[in-house]
Amino acid sequence: MCDEFQLDPGLCHLNHAAVAPWPRRALVAVTGFAEENVRQGSLGYPAWLAVEQRLRARLAWLIGAEQPSDIALVKNTSEALSVIAHGLHWTPGDSVVGIAQEFPSNRLVWESLADQGVTWRALDLDDSSDPEADLIALCDDSTRMIAVSWVQYASGLRLDLERLGAWCRAHDILLCVDAIQGLGALPFDLKRFQADFVVADGHKWMLGPEGLALLYVRPERRERLRLHQFGWHMVEEVGDFERTDWTPARDARRFECGSPNLLGAHALEASLSLLAEIGMDEVWRRVQARTDHLIALIDARGFELLTPRAPERRAGIISFRVPGESSSRLHQALLARRVLCAQRGGGIRFSPHFYTPLETLERAMRILDTILE
């Protein structure tokens, strides 16, 4: 195991698609922040803001944005999607195209536009062998946006964002990407994917805390979003508290109405520094090696693989079903034996990261063998 991770040796942590453990450097950063606050109060506030700026720079690097100022820091993916959905100016009859099997955050927010006359059209992945083509086929003259997750949370299906982005750009349709199940596991290329909006919370593959997420809005789209949250932090002349005339910030800070989550920023910045040191190409190579190994273990037992087998369709999620067995029962039995995983999409979801020892995968499957006996 990477020295940065100090998980209990009796635990098989295969749940990065839910909530990830922190690396040791995140613990050190948060502990130092807390001790400084206890001893010196906010004396070091300028240095805290410097950490926040480094975090924006790391997130910009992670998605391929041009400037750290292109990144807004919000509470979570749901808030980020709501800023987008309820910031755009809709016309009755508009439609948004998405996927039926999405996590609720990327479904409810589009359904909530119904009272504005907006229709959400959902592709059923169970009936699709070519999801990009079928998403495109659902679009017509009323379609304003395709809104999808890069990686589906249950099956682990990875969409071809380059294909979708090129089509959306050619047809003047917005592309909104929930990248939470991919960022931190494999490289993201904003220039190739041509997304207008990218959102992702930091507590999964980015190895950070809950309560802090990135929101990227393509610069030329920013002023098209109507603002619904207002406060001292989102104005252009931030810090000029006695000024009575104001305008929203020109950069992504316009979406941040109030005080920053500096505790979370210290943790997430530290976690991302680890990914930066290793490099996302190498992180992805190691994630692939672990998912390939896991698939081999699943195949050897004759279990049903629910995740696409093609490497270009996968990320870090591997879901499977044991024929004739209740996935709910197996999940509870695995948790009871300290195999941390999830029940999703009718199967068991394992999600190892780059540092997960191969022996952890093998031990988890041996434990499952014992349960089945």
Side-chain angles (χ1 to χ4, degrees):
M1 183 187 297
C2 173
D3 291 341
E4 283 280 351
F5 294 90
Q6 301 179 348
L7 292 166
D8 186 321
L11 179 70
C12 293
H13 194 296
L14 299 173
N15 212 25
H16 293 86
V19 178
W22 296 0
R24 177 167 176 75
R25 65 182 65 192
L27 169 64
V28 171
V30 168
T31 301
F33 177 84
E35 289 180 346
E36 180 182 342
N37 198 311
V38 167
R39 297 180 184 279
Q40 301 183 31
S42 60
L43 181 65
Y45 203 88
W48 299 351
L49 293 179
V51 172
E52 184 198 48
Q53 287 305 110
R54 289 203 303 273
L55 172 59
R56 292 182 199 273
R58 294 197 187 281
L59 290 168
W61 161 77
L62 194 62
I63 68 170
E66 290 188 3
Q67 303 289 338
S69 58
D70 291 335
I71 303 298
L73 301 175
V74 296
K75 294 193 294 294
N76 47 56
T77 306
S78 298
E79 181 185 40
L81 289 170
S82 293
V83 168
I84 298 163
H86 289 276
L88 287 167
H89 294 261
W90 301 97
T91 300
D94 285 345
S95 66
V96 177
V97 168
I99 289 174
Q101 288 85 357
E102 286 281 7
F103 190 75
S105 296
N106 210 6
R107 172 175 52 83
L108 298 178
V109 69
W110 310 114
E111 292 177 335
S112 74
L113 299 172
D115 63 358
Q116 298 184 49
V118 179
T119 301
W120 182 66
R121 298 177 183 166
L123 171 67
D124 186 347
L125 289 175
D126 294 335
D127 297 328
S128 176
S129 59
D130 188 344
E132 293 81 15
D134 292 336
L135 284 165
I136 290 169
L138 283 175
C139 298
D140 59 21
D141 291 342
S142 73
T143 305
R144 293 274 309 282
M145 175 186 287
I146 292 179
V148 292
S149 290
W150 184 19
V151 178
Q152 293 298 309
Y153 82 105
S155 69
L157 167 70
R158 173 159 56 108
L159 294 179
D160 184 346
L161 293 184
E162 186 169 8
R163 183 179 173 191
L164 282 177
W167 187 87
C168 285
R169 187 57 57 90
H171 293 80
D172 195 26
I173 289 176
L174 300 170
L175 177 61
C176 180
V177 177
D178 177 350
I180 194 170
Q181 292 294 4
L183 278 186
L186 67 163
F188 187 98
D189 191 334
L190 188 59
K191 289 184 175 63
R192 283 197 303 115
F193 298 163
Q194 301 188 72
D196 296 283
F197 310 103
V198 181
V199 303
D201 211 320
H203 66 275
K204 298 183 187 291
W205 303 94
M206 287 187 267
L207 303 168
E210 292 185 287
L212 190 57
L214 77 89
L215 165 61
Y216 168 84
V217 178
R218 186 176 293 277
E220 57 265 34
R221 308 289 191 193
R222 281 183 202 140
E223 293 192 9
R224 292 178 57 180
L225 294 184
R226 184 192 305 113
L227 298 175
H228 294 280
Q229 300 181 90
F230 300 87
W232 70 273
H233 194 259
M234 49 76 68
V235 299
E236 181 63 30
E237 302 296 336
V238 65
D240 188 352
F241 301 133
E242 296 184 8
R243 188 180 182 122
T244 57
D245 62 310
W246 59 273
T247 57
R250 289 188 292 269
D251 62 19
R253 188 166 45 79
R254 68 193 288 119
F255 305 116
E256 304 171 6
C257 63
S259 297
N261 177 1
L262 291 175
L263 178 63
H266 276 72
L268 185 56
E269 192 279 329
S271 295
L272 291 179
S273 75
L274 175 61
L275 297 179
E277 286 176 14
I278 297 169
M280 286 311 305
D281 288 338
E282 177 61 17
V283 167
W284 175 225
R285 188 192 68 78
R286 296 185 197 180
V287 170
Q288 280 186 301
R290 281 145 182 81
T291 54
D292 287 345
H293 190 65
L294 188 51
I295 288 174
L297 295 171
I298 291 168
D299 287 345
R301 288 162 170 78
F303 299 160
E304 178 187 359
L305 182 67
L306 301 178
T307 299
R309 195 170 291 275
E312 67 274 12
R313 285 299 191 187
R314 289 191 268 117
I317 289 172
I318 299 297
S319 294
F320 63 95
R321 182 185 296 120
V322 178
E325 297 287 342
S326 164
S327 294
S328 177
R329 183 187 76 83
L330 294 180
H331 176 238
Q332 291 303 315
L334 286 165
L335 289 181
R337 290 161 177 79
R338 296 173 62 76
V339 178
L340 196 53
C341 58
Q343 181 196 351
R344 298 287 189 272
I348 303 297
R349 185 186 72 183
F350 283 177
S351 47
H353 213 322
F354 75 93
Y355 69 88
T356 306
L358 296 182
E359 197 281 328
T360 296
L361 304 177
E362 294 162 359
R363 180 154 51 98
M365 297 306 286
R366 289 196 300 270
I367 291 170
L368 181 55
D369 291 340
T370 301
I371 294 169
L372 293 172
E373 288 173 0

